[in-house]
């Protein structure tokens, strides 16, 4: 499992090491919000298009070679980004982020598929909690190291440092990860796939993962903007964002263990995580450092609760021979949130201010679970509802 943990760390560090410093390095915050949102969304936009394809490829040829190829591609894209500084052209920065996103599209769903394949169903909560823990360490160190490297040598040094762990993890995975060869599969039509992806068993955890990713991406990308507007530098704002990731790192293994031990159900856990994440975005609208820190803690707690529960639910409900396809499709939902969250906040902020952007996304995330809770409450109080089992509670 250790190379898989390292792969999760690499993708998180790559995504957030750059994202967390872009906003704090902005000279004209208000005028650049839409550009910042687009640049943050570019990495995730590549993943939106490619993750389902690489997930299906992992089922066809095996998850291990797809993961290793993605790590090699990530290292190459990071190393090539030096051209951004040499040519002094923003186009190279956009190309580097696009290349990193395309490479992450290969190794992220493949690593998730291997976590599911190499662990029994009874331990999926712990397995995904541990995987998420190390991924969150990447989120934690990404803003901190990103701010420090940006201060020492700018984006050229930052991208160069990102190339090293990706290359090392690729070699480690080649030597240590079991082959996990593809399993025999029944023929699947497009209609079969559509039915499976339209099933609430898939849709509910995927929607929750997408909402959590939207909150996480906005927190990493825009809390530094709020910090810069309040007069804090890139290292200070990077440290504040790291509180978000550190909280998620602490919560994820605990949530996964509680799920496996029966102390937490998927429906209640996802609902709680969504409401906590929405509350964190509401706190982000409060000016000053207290609002930023409280937002970071709540967003981290909410996403840390949702992530292992969502992936464990998907892994348990999916045939092993289709696990790559399911993880790739679920990652598509996550990336839509990852890309859509910053774009929504940026668009609203450009017209009405960043605080309003935070509030709008908070309302979108909270709407689903609040409606579900209201419906469940009406069902319990309706005539003849007494004694009717309520099951798992409202899912996201």
């Amino acid at each position: 499992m250790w190379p898989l943990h390292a792969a999760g760390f690499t993708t998180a560090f790559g995504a957030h090491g750059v994202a967390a410093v872009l906003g704090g390095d902005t000279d004209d915050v208000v005028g650049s919000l839409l550009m910042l949102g687009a640049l943050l969304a570019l990495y995730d936009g590549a993943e939106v298009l490619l993750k389902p394809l690489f997930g299906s490829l992992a089922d066809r040829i095996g998850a291990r070679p797809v993961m290793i190829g993605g790590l090699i591609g990530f290292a190459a894209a990071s190393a090539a980004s030096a051209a951004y500084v040499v040519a002094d052209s923003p186009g190279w920065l956009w190309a580097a982020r696009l290349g990193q996103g395309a490479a992450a599209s290969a190794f992220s769903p493949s690593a998730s598929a291997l976590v599911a394949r190499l662990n029994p169903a009874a331990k999926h909560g712990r397995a995904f909690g541990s995987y998420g823990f190390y991924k969150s360490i990447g989120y934690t160190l990404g803003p901190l190291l990103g701010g420090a490297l940006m201060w020492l040598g700018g984006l050229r040094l930052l991208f160069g440092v990102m190339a090293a762990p990706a290359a090392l993890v690729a070699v480690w995975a080649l030597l240590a990860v079991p082959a996990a060869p593809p399993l025999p599969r029944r023929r699947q039509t497009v209609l079969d796939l559509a039915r499976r992806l339209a099933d609430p068993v898939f849709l509910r955890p995927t929607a929750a993962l997408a909402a959590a990713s939207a909150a996480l991406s906005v927190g990493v990308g825009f809390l530094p903007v709020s910090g810069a507007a309040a007069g804090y530098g890139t290292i200070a704002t990077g440290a504040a964002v790291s509180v978000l990731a550190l909280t998620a790192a602490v919560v994820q293994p605990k949530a996964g263990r509680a799920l496996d031990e029966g102390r937490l159900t998927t429906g209640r856990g996802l609902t709680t995580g969504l409401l906590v994440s929405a509350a964190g975005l509401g706190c982000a609208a409060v000016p000053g450092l207290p609002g930023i820190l409280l937002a970071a803690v709540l967003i981290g707690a909410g996403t840390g609760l949702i992530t292992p529960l969502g992936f464990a639910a998907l892994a348990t409900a999916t045939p092993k021979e289709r696990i790559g396809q399911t993880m790739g499709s679920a990652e598509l939902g996550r990336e839509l949130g990852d890309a859509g969250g910053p774009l929504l906040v940026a668009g609203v902020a450009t017209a009405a201010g960043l605080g309003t952007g935070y509030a709008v996304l908070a309302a979108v995330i909270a709407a689903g679970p609040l409606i579900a809770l209201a419906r469940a409450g009406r069902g319990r109080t309706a005539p003849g509802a007494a004694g009717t089992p309520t099951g798992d509670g409202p899912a996201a």
Side-chain angles (χ1 to χ4, degrees):
M1 285 289 292
W2 286 107
L4 302 181
H5 295 161
F9 172 90
T10 300
T11 183
F13 176 68
H16 287 192
V18 173
V21 303
L22 292 176
D25 191 54
T26 298
D27 294 325
D28 182 9
V29 173
V30 175
S32 66
L33 282 175
L34 195 56
M35 182 69 73
L36 173 61
L39 189 56
L40 290 173
L42 181 66
Y43 183 101
D44 306 301
E47 295 185 300
V48 165
L49 296 175
L50 297 176
K51 276 188 172 180
L53 298 178
F54 282 119
S56 296
L57 182 64
D59 287 335
R60 185 177 296 275
I61 68 172
R64 180 173 173 268
V66 177
M67 183 183 74
I68 292 171
L71 288 165
I72 294 171
F74 191 91
S78 299
S81 65
Y84 162 65
V85 177
V86 174
D88 194 24
S89 171
W92 284 104
L93 176 60
W94 290 77
R97 292 299 281 169
L98 182 62
Q100 288 181 324
S105 302
F107 69 76
S108 185
S110 301
S112 296
L114 284 168
V115 171
R117 283 282 306 274
L118 299 177
N119 289 277
K123 294 184 178 180
H124 277 165
R126 289 180 176 86
F128 280 103
S130 297
Y131 177 72
F133 171 82
Y134 287 98
K135 203 166 185 178
S136 292
I137 294 298
Y139 292 142
T140 303
L141 294 181
L144 282 172
L145 294 179
L149 293 169
M150 188 76 175
W151 178 74
L152 288 172
L155 284 172
R156 183 180 187 180
L157 177 61
L158 176 58
F159 275 116
V161 169
M162 283 182 180
L168 290 174
V169 174
V171 175
W172 190 9
L174 183 63
L175 296 175
V177 174
L183 299 172
R185 298 177 300 162
R186 293 184 304 169
R187 183 177 177 273
Q188 177 182 254
T189 67
V190 174
L191 183 59
D192 292 332
L193 175 61
R195 285 173 179 165
R196 189 157 61 85
L197 298 185
D199 193 319
V201 172
F202 173 83
L203 285 179
R204 287 171 181 165
T206 301
L209 289 167
S213 294
L216 182 66
S217 183
V218 166
V220 170
F222 286 93
L223 288 181
V225 177
S226 297
Y232 299 101
T234 57
I235 294 179
T237 55
V241 172
S242 291
V243 171
L244 185 161
L246 184 59
T247 304
V250 171
V251 170
Q252 288 193 61
K254 296 180 182 296
R257 188 162 51 250
L259 178 67
D260 288 343
E261 294 173 356
R263 294 182 288 110
L264 181 65
T265 61
T266 300
R268 292 191 180 98
L270 295 181
T271 297
T272 302
L274 289 168
L275 293 176
V276 170
S277 298
L281 289 166
C283 292
V286 178
L289 188 60
I292 294 173
L293 290 176
L294 187 56
V297 170
L298 291 177
I299 293 172
T303 58
L305 187 56
I306 290 167
T307 303
L309 301 187
F311 277 116
L314 291 168
T316 301
T318 301
K320 293 294 185 184
E321 67 272 14
R322 299 287 182 187
I323 193 68
Q325 186 180 71
T326 293
M327 291 301 172
S329 299
E331 292 275 5
L332 167 61
R334 290 189 76 197
E335 299 310 330
L336 288 174
D338 232 348
L343 287 175
L344 174 62
V345 171
V348 174
T350 301
L354 187 52
T356 304
Y358 289 136
V360 168
L361 181 58
V364 171
I365 291 175
L370 288 176
I371 291 171
L373 286 170
R375 287 176 176 171
R378 286 199 300 268
R380 284 192 294 266
T381 58
T388 301
T390 58
D392 198 28

